């Protein structure tokens, strides 16, 4: 690891510069810490699977279980799904996998910050590297899911098409949006463990506000919720590309990407401004 990282001193009350200075400093810190972030991500990935019998299959098992539950409910007639354009198992499996990638990136900023609490208080380094390590980890998990998902879709009669080339764009935007939202709650989550415990519940509610396991509703209250949810275009468009249903890029997708990028900048500034207080509270 190189030792040419710029020295940054985090002090309570020391962050009083203008917002745009904070944005520039945060972006510079992200670039300067990419090597450190890669090493942290590599360490965390190895630690995750070192003592696991099923290893990387855990990246696939939880979405698969969700898929099986909804297939059973659909098969028993408990729920009634309309036409999805593709087989319901393929629709369900692709949706739950894409959502799992978003959920990983949403959890990563808080998980990584808590995991590296001891380092944060004792070693001086660009703390944005912790956020970036979470992004790398999320991309790794997403790649594993894709490697397993694509053959599964072939088995479900989904033929590969040129739209598959656009899937990385969709997943990249999903990971950045998830990371941005995760960063917003990280300062509070580090101080109060209740936030971390409530995240799985929050993600469940969020998942049902997006057409992951059900068909895009066209009427009723749920239809309005789905329409207003900025995550909807990201999930729907990425699934279209993954299953070859569309090669185009919807304007609502671009709006969601722009919103996600704005939240990402806001999250970086919030994380940077809150960091001195966090270090003070963690170290006390």
């Amino acid at each position: 690891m190189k030792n040419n990282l710029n020295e940054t001193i985090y002090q309570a009350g020391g962050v009083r510069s203008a917002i745009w200075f904070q944005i520039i400093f945060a972006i510079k810190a992200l670039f300067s810490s990419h090597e450190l972030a890669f090493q942290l991500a590599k360490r965390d990935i190895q630690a995750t699977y070192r003592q696991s019998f099923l290893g990387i299959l855990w990246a696939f098992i939880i979405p698969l279980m969700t898929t099986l539950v909804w297939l059973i409910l659909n098969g028993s007639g408990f729920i009634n799904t309309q036409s999805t354009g593709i087989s319901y198992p393929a629709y369900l499996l692709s949706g739950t996998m894409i959502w799992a990638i978003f959920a990983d990136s949403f959890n990563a900023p808080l998980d990584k910050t808590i995991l590296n609490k001891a380092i944060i208080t004792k070693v001086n380094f660009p703390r944005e590297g912790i956020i970036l390590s979470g992004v790398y980890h999320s991309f790794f998990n997403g790649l594993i899911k894709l490697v397993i998902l694509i053959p599964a879709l072939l088995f479900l009669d989904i033929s590969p098409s040129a739209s598959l080339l656009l899937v990385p764009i969709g997943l990249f935007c999903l990971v950045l949006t998830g990371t941005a939202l995760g960063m917003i709650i990280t300062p509070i989550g580090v101080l109060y463990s209740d936030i971390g415990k409530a995240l799985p519940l929050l993600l469940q509610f969020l998942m049902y506000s997006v057409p992951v396991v059900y068909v895009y509703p066209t009427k009723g209250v749920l239809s309005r919720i789905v329409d207003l949810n900025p995550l909807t275009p990201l999930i729907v468009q990425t699934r279209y590309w993954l299953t070859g249903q569309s090669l185009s890029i919807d304007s609502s997708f671009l709006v969601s990407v722009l919103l996600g990028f704005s939240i990402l900048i806001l999250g970086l500034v919030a994380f940077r401004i809150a960091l001195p207080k966090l270090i003070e509270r963690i170290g006390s």
Side-chain angles (χ1 to χ4, degrees):
M1 187 185 308
K2 295 179 180 177
N3 294 320
N4 59 347
L5 297 176
N6 295 327
E7 183 178 359
T8 305
I9 300 174
Y10 294 91
Q11 296 177 332
V15 183
R16 298 191 178 94
S17 302
I19 294 297
W20 66 277
F21 272 126
Q22 298 296 336
I23 294 174
I24 292 173
F25 289 149
I27 293 174
K28 285 177 67 176
L30 276 179
F31 279 103
S32 67
S33 62
H34 71 91
E35 190 173 348
L36 170 67
F38 178 80
Q39 294 299 331
L40 288 174
K42 183 180 175 183
R43 178 204 64 179
D44 295 341
I45 291 168
Q46 289 174 338
T48 300
Y49 299 117
R50 186 176 298 137
Q51 294 181 323
S52 171
F53 177 72
L54 295 176
I56 59 175
L57 288 178
W58 279 111
F60 189 75
I61 289 174
I62 295 176
L64 183 61
M65 289 298 105
T66 304
T67 299
L68 288 176
V69 168
W70 280 87
L71 281 177
I72 292 171
L73 291 174
N74 184 53
S76 63
F78 188 76
I79 60 169
N80 184 22
T81 56
Q82 304 165 23
S83 174
T84 59
I86 55 176
S87 67
Y88 186 61
Y91 181 89
L92 199 49
L93 185 60
S94 57
T96 52
M97 280 293 183
I98 293 169
W99 179 260
I101 293 171
F102 167 77
D104 281 346
S105 61
F106 183 83
N107 286 320
L110 180 58
D111 288 346
K112 298 297 180 187
T113 305
I114 291 175
L115 182 66
N116 292 287
K117 263 184 177 181
I119 302 176
I120 289 174
T121 55
K122 295 176 182 174
V123 182
N124 182 30
F125 65 98
R127 270 64 174 185
E128 287 81 0
I130 291 174
I131 300 297
L132 193 56
S133 73
V135 174
Y136 288 160
H137 199 160
S138 298
F139 280 135
F140 176 82
N141 286 342
L143 180 62
I144 290 189
K145 288 180 173 68
L146 274 185
V147 168
I148 300 174
L149 176 60
I150 291 176
L153 290 177
L154 286 172
F155 179 76
L156 294 170
D157 291 331
I158 301 296
S159 302
S161 68
S163 63
L164 265 182
L165 297 174
L166 297 174
V167 170
I169 297 175
L171 296 183
F172 180 79
C173 296
L174 270 171
V175 168
L176 288 191
T177 302
T179 302
L181 295 173
M183 270 197 301
I184 295 293
I185 62 170
T186 293
I188 303 174
V190 170
L191 297 178
Y192 302 102
S193 61
D194 308 75
I195 300 297
K197 292 173 183 174
L199 279 187
L201 185 61
L202 174 63
L203 281 170
Q204 281 293 315
F205 277 111
L206 268 179
M207 190 184 83
Y208 292 122
S209 68
V210 182
V212 172
V213 296
Y214 55 82
V215 180
Y216 202 118
T218 56
K219 58 183 179 181
V221 176
L222 184 58
S223 172
R224 294 184 63 83
I225 293 173
V226 168
D227 285 340
L228 292 173
N229 191 337
L231 292 175
T232 298
L234 298 177
I235 299 290
V236 171
Q237 186 77 71
T238 304
R239 176 159 51 194
Y240 278 163
W241 289 336
L242 188 60
T243 55
Q245 291 179 282
S246 172
L247 193 57
S248 63
I249 300 179
D250 195 84
S251 59
S252 59
F253 176 83
L254 298 177
V255 172
S256 291
V257 170
L258 185 60
L259 179 61
F261 184 76
S262 302
I263 296 174
L264 182 68
I265 298 297
L266 178 65
L268 275 173
V269 173
F271 184 78
R272 190 174 181 81
I273 291 176
L275 208 52
K277 287 290 183 186
L278 289 180
I279 293 173
E280 188 179 280
R281 290 288 295 270
I282 292 172
S284 62

mmCIF file of all heavy atoms in Angstrom, residues 32-58:
data_model
loop_
_atom_site.group_PDB
_atom_site.id
_atom_site.type_symbol
_atom_site.label_atom_id
_atom_site.label_comp_id
_atom_site.label_asym_id
_atom_site.label_seq_id
_atom_site.Cartn_x
_atom_site.Cartn_y
_atom_site.Cartn_z
ATOM 1 N N SER A 32 -8.124 9.770 -3.728
ATOM 2 C CA SER A 32 -6.842 9.467 -3.075
ATOM 3 C C SER A 32 -6.900 8.190 -2.237
ATOM 4 O O SER A 32 -5.862 7.625 -1.898
ATOM 5 C CB SER A 32 -6.407 10.640 -2.197
ATOM 6 O OG SER A 32 -7.287 10.796 -1.107
ATOM 7 N N SER A 33 -8.104 7.742 -1.897
ATOM 8 C CA SER A 33 -8.226 6.584 -1.010
ATOM 9 C C SER A 33 -8.646 5.311 -1.734
ATOM 10 O O SER A 33 -8.977 4.326 -1.092
ATOM 11 C CB SER A 33 -9.245 6.889 0.097
ATOM 12 O OG SER A 33 -10.531 7.119 -0.468
ATOM 13 N N HIS A 34 -8.612 5.327 -3.073
ATOM 14 C CA HIS A 34 -9.138 4.158 -3.789
ATOM 15 C C HIS A 34 -8.326 2.895 -3.503
ATOM 16 O O HIS A 34 -8.869 1.800 -3.400
ATOM 17 C CB HIS A 34 -9.182 4.443 -5.292
ATOM 18 C CG HIS A 34 -7.846 4.511 -5.952
ATOM 19 N ND1 HIS A 34 -7.242 3.402 -6.517
ATOM 20 C CD2 HIS A 34 -6.982 5.532 -6.119
ATOM 21 C CE1 HIS A 34 -6.069 3.760 -7.016
ATOM 22 N NE2 HIS A 34 -5.888 5.041 -6.791
ATOM 23 N N GLU A 35 -7.001 3.050 -3.326
ATOM 24 C CA GLU A 35 -6.176 1.865 -3.058
ATOM 25 C C GLU A 35 -6.459 1.315 -1.661
ATOM 26 O O GLU A 35 -6.571 0.103 -1.460
ATOM 27 C CB GLU A 35 -4.692 2.214 -3.195
ATOM 28 C CG GLU A 35 -3.797 0.990 -3.170
ATOM 29 C CD GLU A 35 -2.343 1.326 -3.469
ATOM 30 O OE1 GLU A 35 -2.079 2.463 -3.919
ATOM 31 O OE2 GLU A 35 -1.479 0.469 -3.247
ATOM 32 N N LEU A 36 -6.573 2.219 -0.692
ATOM 33 C CA LEU A 36 -6.931 1.799 0.663
ATOM 34 C C LEU A 36 -8.301 1.132 0.664
ATOM 35 O O LEU A 36 -8.510 0.091 1.304
ATOM 36 C CB LEU A 36 -6.945 3.022 1.583
ATOM 37 C CG LEU A 36 -7.526 2.813 2.980
ATOM 38 C CD1 LEU A 36 -6.633 1.877 3.785
ATOM 39 C CD2 LEU A 36 -7.701 4.155 3.695
ATOM 40 N N ALA A 37 -9.247 1.727 -0.068
ATOM 41 C CA ALA A 37 -10.603 1.163 -0.136
ATOM 42 C C ALA A 37 -10.587 -0.235 -0.730
ATOM 43 O O ALA A 37 -11.301 -1.130 -0.260
ATOM 44 C CB ALA A 37 -11.498 2.080 -0.973
ATOM 45 N N PHE A 38 -9.764 -0.432 -1.748
ATOM 46 C CA PHE A 38 -9.677 -1.758 -2.373
ATOM 47 C C PHE A 38 -9.156 -2.786 -1.368
ATOM 48 O O PHE A 38 -9.679 -3.905 -1.280
ATOM 49 C CB PHE A 38 -8.750 -1.685 -3.595
ATOM 50 C CG PHE A 38 -8.556 -2.999 -4.282
ATOM 51 C CD1 PHE A 38 -9.519 -3.490 -5.158
ATOM 52 C CD2 PHE A 38 -7.414 -3.759 -4.054
ATOM 53 C CE1 PHE A 38 -9.340 -4.722 -5.779
ATOM 54 C CE2 PHE A 38 -7.235 -4.984 -4.671
ATOM 55 C CZ PHE A 38 -8.200 -5.461 -5.532
ATOM 56 N N GLN A 39 -8.139 -2.406 -0.588
ATOM 57 C CA GLN A 39 -7.582 -3.329 0.400
ATOM 58 C C GLN A 39 -8.601 -3.642 1.507
ATOM 59 O O GLN A 39 -8.710 -4.782 1.968
ATOM 60 C CB GLN A 39 -6.307 -2.733 1.015
ATOM 61 C CG GLN A 39 -5.154 -2.578 0.039
ATOM 62 C CD GLN A 39 -4.695 -3.907 -0.550
ATOM 63 O OE1 GLN A 39 -4.822 -4.961 0.080
ATOM 64 N NE2 GLN A 39 -4.158 -3.871 -1.769
ATOM 65 N N LEU A 40 -9.338 -2.625 1.937
ATOM 66 C CA LEU A 40 -10.368 -2.851 2.966
ATOM 67 C C LEU A 40 -11.470 -3.773 2.437
ATOM 68 O O LEU A 40 -11.931 -4.676 3.147
ATOM 69 C CB LEU A 40 -10.977 -1.510 3.403
ATOM 70 C CG LEU A 40 -10.091 -0.586 4.253
ATOM 71 C CD1 LEU A 40 -10.785 0.759 4.465
ATOM 72 C CD2 LEU A 40 -9.779 -1.239 5.595
ATOM 73 N N ALA A 41 -11.879 -3.537 1.189
ATOM 74 C CA ALA A 41 -12.923 -4.383 0.602
ATOM 75 C C ALA A 41 -12.437 -5.817 0.462
ATOM 76 O O ALA A 41 -13.175 -6.777 0.757
ATOM 77 C CB ALA A 41 -13.336 -3.822 -0.759
ATOM 78 N N LYS A 42 -11.197 -5.973 0.024
ATOM 79 C CA LYS A 42 -10.622 -7.316 -0.123
ATOM 80 C C LYS A 42 -10.578 -8.034 1.224
ATOM 81 O O LYS A 42 -10.930 -9.213 1.323
ATOM 82 C CB LYS A 42 -9.204 -7.184 -0.700
ATOM 83 C CG LYS A 42 -8.510 -8.497 -0.963
ATOM 84 C CD LYS A 42 -7.117 -8.228 -1.545
ATOM 85 C CE LYS A 42 -6.334 -9.534 -1.712
ATOM 86 N NZ LYS A 42 -4.963 -9.261 -2.212
ATOM 87 N N ARG A 43 -10.170 -7.308 2.273
ATOM 88 C CA ARG A 43 -10.122 -7.900 3.608
ATOM 89 C C ARG A 43 -11.509 -8.342 4.069
ATOM 90 O O ARG A 43 -11.695 -9.449 4.591
ATOM 91 C CB ARG A 43 -9.559 -6.863 4.598
ATOM 92 C CG ARG A 43 -9.491 -7.321 6.039
ATOM 93 C CD ARG A 43 -9.502 -6.145 6.993
ATOM 94 N NE ARG A 43 -10.765 -5.400 6.919
ATOM 95 C CZ ARG A 43 -11.053 -4.328 7.654
ATOM 96 N NH1 ARG A 43 -10.154 -3.858 8.479
ATOM 97 N NH2 ARG A 43 -12.220 -3.719 7.546
ATOM 98 N N ASP A 44 -12.512 -7.463 3.845
ATOM 99 C CA ASP A 44 -13.872 -7.770 4.295
ATOM 100 C C ASP A 44 -14.474 -8.943 3.523
ATOM 101 O O ASP A 44 -15.199 -9.772 4.094
ATOM 102 C CB ASP A 44 -14.761 -6.528 4.144
ATOM 103 C CG ASP A 44 -14.315 -5.397 5.062
ATOM 104 O OD1 ASP A 44 -13.587 -5.684 6.032
ATOM 105 O OD2 ASP A 44 -14.680 -4.246 4.799
ATOM 106 N N ILE A 45 -14.206 -9.007 2.227
ATOM 107 C CA ILE A 45 -14.738 -10.116 1.415
ATOM 108 C C ILE A 45 -14.136 -11.438 1.874
ATOM 109 O O ILE A 45 -14.841 -12.445 2.037
ATOM 110 C CB ILE A 45 -14.448 -9.873 -0.082
ATOM 111 C CG1 ILE A 45 -15.282 -8.702 -0.587
ATOM 112 C CG2 ILE A 45 -14.739 -11.127 -0.907
ATOM 113 C CD1 ILE A 45 -14.870 -8.197 -1.956
ATOM 114 N N GLN A 46 -12.830 -11.442 2.112
ATOM 115 C CA GLN A 46 -12.175 -12.672 2.580
ATOM 116 C C GLN A 46 -12.714 -13.079 3.948
ATOM 117 O O GLN A 46 -12.943 -14.263 4.194
ATOM 118 C CB GLN A 46 -10.665 -12.457 2.646
ATOM 119 C CG GLN A 46 -10.008 -12.349 1.274
ATOM 120 C CD GLN A 46 -8.540 -12.001 1.355
ATOM 121 O OE1 GLN A 46 -8.065 -11.448 2.357
ATOM 122 N NE2 GLN A 46 -7.795 -12.309 0.284
ATOM 123 N N ALA A 47 -12.917 -12.084 4.830
ATOM 124 C CA ALA A 47 -13.431 -12.394 6.164
ATOM 125 C C ALA A 47 -14.863 -12.919 6.099
ATOM 126 O O ALA A 47 -15.254 -13.794 6.885
ATOM 127 C CB ALA A 47 -13.380 -11.141 7.033
ATOM 128 N N THR A 48 -15.645 -12.412 5.140
ATOM 129 C CA THR A 48 -17.046 -12.841 5.031
ATOM 130 C C THR A 48 -17.156 -14.318 4.684
ATOM 131 O O THR A 48 -18.005 -15.048 5.220
ATOM 132 C CB THR A 48 -17.759 -12.011 3.936
ATOM 133 O OG1 THR A 48 -17.710 -10.630 4.300
ATOM 134 C CG2 THR A 48 -19.210 -12.450 3.785
ATOM 135 N N TYR A 49 -16.287 -14.787 3.763
ATOM 136 C CA TYR A 49 -16.442 -16.152 3.260
ATOM 137 C C TYR A 49 -15.429 -17.145 3.814
ATOM 138 O O TYR A 49 -15.473 -18.321 3.471
ATOM 139 C CB TYR A 49 -16.335 -16.132 1.725
ATOM 140 C CG TYR A 49 -17.405 -15.277 1.090
ATOM 141 C CD1 TYR A 49 -17.081 -14.139 0.358
ATOM 142 C CD2 TYR A 49 -18.750 -15.603 1.233
ATOM 143 C CE1 TYR A 49 -18.064 -13.350 -0.211
ATOM 144 C CE2 TYR A 49 -19.739 -14.818 0.669
ATOM 145 C CZ TYR A 49 -19.387 -13.688 -0.060
ATOM 146 O OH TYR A 49 -20.379 -12.914 -0.610
ATOM 147 N N ARG A 50 -14.504 -16.656 4.702
ATOM 148 C CA ARG A 50 -13.430 -17.540 5.176
ATOM 149 C C ARG A 50 -13.973 -18.739 5.950
ATOM 150 O O ARG A 50 -13.549 -19.863 5.752
ATOM 151 C CB ARG A 50 -12.474 -16.744 6.071
ATOM 152 C CG ARG A 50 -11.240 -17.547 6.499
ATOM 153 C CD ARG A 50 -10.302 -16.667 7.306
ATOM 154 N NE ARG A 50 -9.819 -15.563 6.503
ATOM 155 C CZ ARG A 50 -9.720 -14.305 6.947
ATOM 156 N NH1 ARG A 50 -10.121 -14.013 8.164
ATOM 157 N NH2 ARG A 50 -9.249 -13.348 6.172
ATOM 158 N N GLN A 51 -14.928 -18.531 6.827
ATOM 159 C CA GLN A 51 -15.428 -19.609 7.666
ATOM 160 C C GLN A 51 -16.847 -20.007 7.279
ATOM 161 O O GLN A 51 -17.638 -20.420 8.119
ATOM 162 C CB GLN A 51 -15.383 -19.175 9.138
ATOM 163 C CG GLN A 51 -13.961 -18.967 9.642
ATOM 164 C CD GLN A 51 -13.935 -18.567 11.103
ATOM 165 O OE1 GLN A 51 -14.793 -17.829 11.565
ATOM 166 N NE2 GLN A 51 -12.951 -19.068 11.838
ATOM 167 N N SER A 52 -17.168 -19.874 6.004
ATOM 168 C CA SER A 52 -18.511 -20.209 5.529
ATOM 169 C C SER A 52 -18.450 -21.455 4.658
ATOM 170 O O SER A 52 -17.658 -21.531 3.715
ATOM 171 C CB SER A 52 -19.086 -19.034 4.729
ATOM 172 O OG SER A 52 -20.276 -19.405 4.098
ATOM 173 N N PHE A 53 -19.298 -22.434 4.956
ATOM 174 C CA PHE A 53 -19.322 -23.679 4.184
ATOM 175 C C PHE A 53 -19.875 -23.424 2.777
ATOM 176 O O PHE A 53 -19.368 -23.949 1.793
ATOM 177 C CB PHE A 53 -20.182 -24.720 4.909
ATOM 178 C CG PHE A 53 -20.316 -26.014 4.159
ATOM 179 C CD1 PHE A 53 -19.246 -26.894 4.049
ATOM 180 C CD2 PHE A 53 -21.519 -26.356 3.537
ATOM 181 C CE1 PHE A 53 -19.368 -28.087 3.342
ATOM 182 C CE2 PHE A 53 -21.650 -27.537 2.825
ATOM 183 C CZ PHE A 53 -20.568 -28.402 2.736
ATOM 184 N N LEU A 54 -20.928 -22.619 2.670
ATOM 185 C CA LEU A 54 -21.539 -22.363 1.368
ATOM 186 C C LEU A 54 -20.868 -21.212 0.616
ATOM 187 O O LEU A 54 -21.146 -21.017 -0.574
ATOM 188 C CB LEU A 54 -23.028 -22.056 1.549
ATOM 189 C CG LEU A 54 -23.860 -23.223 2.090
ATOM 190 C CD1 LEU A 54 -25.299 -22.791 2.331
ATOM 191 C CD2 LEU A 54 -23.826 -24.407 1.129
ATOM 192 N N GLY A 55 -20.024 -20.429 1.301
ATOM 193 C CA GLY A 55 -19.232 -19.401 0.633
ATOM 194 C C GLY A 55 -20.072 -18.368 -0.105
ATOM 195 O O GLY A 55 -21.062 -17.849 0.414
ATOM 196 N N ILE A 56 -19.672 -18.119 -1.367
ATOM 197 C CA ILE A 56 -20.312 -17.046 -2.132
ATOM 198 C C ILE A 56 -21.758 -17.381 -2.500
ATOM 199 O O ILE A 56 -22.492 -16.514 -2.975
ATOM 200 C CB ILE A 56 -19.524 -16.737 -3.411
ATOM 201 C CG1 ILE A 56 -19.432 -17.986 -4.301
ATOM 202 C CG2 ILE A 56 -18.145 -16.212 -3.090
ATOM 203 C CD1 ILE A 56 -18.775 -17.726 -5.634
ATOM 204 N N LEU A 57 -22.176 -18.630 -2.291
ATOM 205 C CA LEU A 57 -23.572 -18.985 -2.594
ATOM 206 C C LEU A 57 -24.548 -18.211 -1.727
ATOM 207 O O LEU A 57 -25.720 -18.052 -2.081
ATOM 208 C CB LEU A 57 -23.794 -20.489 -2.409
ATOM 209 C CG LEU A 57 -23.154 -21.397 -3.474
ATOM 210 C CD1 LEU A 57 -23.417 -22.858 -3.143
ATOM 211 C CD2 LEU A 57 -23.703 -21.064 -4.859
ATOM 212 N N TRP A 58 -24.070 -17.698 -0.561
ATOM 213 C CA TRP A 58 -24.956 -16.906 0.298
ATOM 214 C C TRP A 58 -25.424 -15.637 -0.412
ATOM 215 O O TRP A 58 -26.470 -15.085 -0.084
ATOM 216 C CB TRP A 58 -24.247 -16.541 1.611
ATOM 217 C CG TRP A 58 -24.279 -17.661 2.593
ATOM 218 C CD1 TRP A 58 -23.230 -18.419 3.032
ATOM 219 C CD2 TRP A 58 -25.436 -18.186 3.260
ATOM 220 N NE1 TRP A 58 -23.663 -19.375 3.928
ATOM 221 C CE2 TRP A 58 -25.008 -19.251 4.087
ATOM 222 C CE3 TRP A 58 -26.798 -17.872 3.242
ATOM 223 C CZ2 TRP A 58 -25.884 -19.990 4.887
ATOM 224 C CZ3 TRP A 58 -27.675 -18.602 4.029
ATOM 225 C CH2 TRP A 58 -27.216 -19.646 4.838
#
